[in-house]
Amino acid sequence: MSPITRSLIFLPGHRPDRFDKAAASGAHEVIFDLEDAVAPAAKATARDAAAALLATGRPALVRINAMETEWFEDDIRMLLSRPGAGAMLPKADAQSLAHTARMLPGRRLIALVETVRGYLELRQLVNVSGVERLAFGSVDFSAESGIEDEGNAMTAVRTQIVLESCHAGLLAPVDGVSVNFNDAVQMRADALRSRQLGFGGKLCIHPHQVASVNAAFLPTPEQVQWAMRVIEAFEGSDGAATAVDGKMIDKPVVEKARRIVRESRPTVAA
């Protein structure tokens, strides 16, 4: 997966007819959801539908059911029969993530941190071999912890997820969903907050959310112009500290400028 994959959209596993719409939304990744979006009676149907779509070679992750559920082992067996499929593990904690990584060696694996236990074991999660990235299940985390996901109430939680990911050398984590999918202005504000806190992307639950997320994670034209001036000035100084717009620039500033230029390049959607 590209380091600048920003928007990841859930597709209910029992609704494969919606795949084309999800893929056409502009999302950078489609996630077949076998967990929250699927009622218990439809779990087997959803798993079979996901297997059939994966067999066509369509790229997607699969959010499997949590390890403690009766559906986990069947979900793993299905993934093992589809060599190109990666997994998102819900309610990840150190034990369940390590177990899943052992069962799916060499697969892409995203750990969904949505329990208090998982959060308190972040240092262990990011060091599980094979884990590519963390994602934040903010809705479930709020329900368990009692911390409202409003204003800055969860900023400390989000910041710790970002810092642990960075320290372990993982891709920047993915922030949780915004439940209101009809308010594009609020969606963009939520995604901008995620970006400002250091997240590398955001989960989506509806195609209407994707454009706002993608736009929020793109540098502004002014930022790109600044970055180009910084890079040009630094290269012209043969690597010595210099100034742009009356401000000193040195290597850390140049690295920031280079990152902005990289992030301004188009990302191929799913």
Side-chain angles (χ1 to χ4, degrees):
M1 180 171 62
S2 164
I4 55 173
T5 296
R6 304 304 192 190
S7 50
L8 299 88
I9 188 169
F10 285 114
L11 170 71
H14 62 297
R15 295 300 308 269
D17 55 302
R18 295 182 181 177
F19 180 88
D20 289 339
K21 184 176 181 181
S25 68
H28 301 151
E29 188 108 44
V30 176
I31 305 171
F32 291 133
D33 189 7
L34 305 184
E35 196 217 12
D36 281 352
V38 181
K43 295 288 188 182
T45 300
R47 187 185 307 114
D48 290 344
L53 273 172
L54 290 168
T56 68
R58 301 185 185 188
L61 280 166
V62 179
R63 176 162 71 168
I64 60 178
N65 288 281
M67 189 181 77
E68 64 270 16
T69 69
E70 62 186 277
W71 307 290
F72 173 78
E73 291 187 2
D74 287 336
D75 291 349
I76 294 292
R77 278 192 286 270
M78 184 275 287
L79 285 176
L80 289 173
S81 73
R82 298 291 181 265
M88 173 180 279
L89 178 68
K91 298 176 177 58
D93 55 36
Q95 179 184 5
S96 64
L97 187 59
H99 178 68
T100 303
R102 287 193 298 268
M103 297 187 75
L104 297 171
R107 301 298 184 97
R108 291 182 55 210
L109 183 58
I110 295 179
L112 188 57
V113 179
E114 53 186 345
T115 65
V116 172
R117 177 178 176 178
Y119 173 73
L120 293 177
E121 294 178 350
L122 276 175
R123 183 66 55 88
Q124 295 166 264
L125 295 185
V126 297
N127 286 299
V128 171
S129 179
V131 174
E132 175 183 88
R133 200 174 195 183
L134 302 183
F136 183 34
S138 50
V139 175
D140 285 53
F141 188 87
S142 176
E144 180 185 350
S145 67
I147 304 172
E148 294 292 336
D149 194 7
E150 297 178 0
N152 295 318
M154 276 206 207
T155 296
V157 175
R158 286 184 162 90
T159 301
Q160 195 63 29
I161 292 171
V162 169
L163 292 177
E164 293 289 357
S165 296
C166 180
H167 183 65
L170 301 185
L171 293 179
V174 184
D175 204 356
V177 303
S178 295
V179 295
N180 187 344
F181 53 80
N182 287 317
D183 189 340
V185 174
Q186 185 61 52
M187 187 68 208
R188 182 175 173 83
D190 290 349
L192 282 171
R193 178 191 62 174
S194 300
R195 181 185 177 193
Q196 290 165 350
L197 290 175
F199 282 86
K202 189 167 174 61
L203 298 171
C204 301
I205 55 174
H206 195 282
H208 289 169
Q209 297 179 320
V210 172
S212 295
V213 170
N214 289 344
F217 278 94
L218 281 175
T220 65
E222 292 77 17
Q223 289 173 321
V224 175
Q225 291 167 10
W226 170 85
M228 296 298 291
R229 291 199 305 275
V230 166
I231 294 169
E232 182 179 359
F234 189 71
E235 292 175 350
S237 71
D238 294 325
T242 185
V244 170
D245 299 337
K247 296 180 180 179
M248 187 194 79
I249 60 169
D250 53 11
K251 188 174 180 180
V253 178
V254 175
E255 289 303 315
K256 177 181 178 180
R258 288 173 175 159
R259 184 176 70 249
I260 288 172
V261 171
R262 287 195 303 270
E263 291 176 350
S264 69
R265 295 168 185 157
T267 301
V268 178

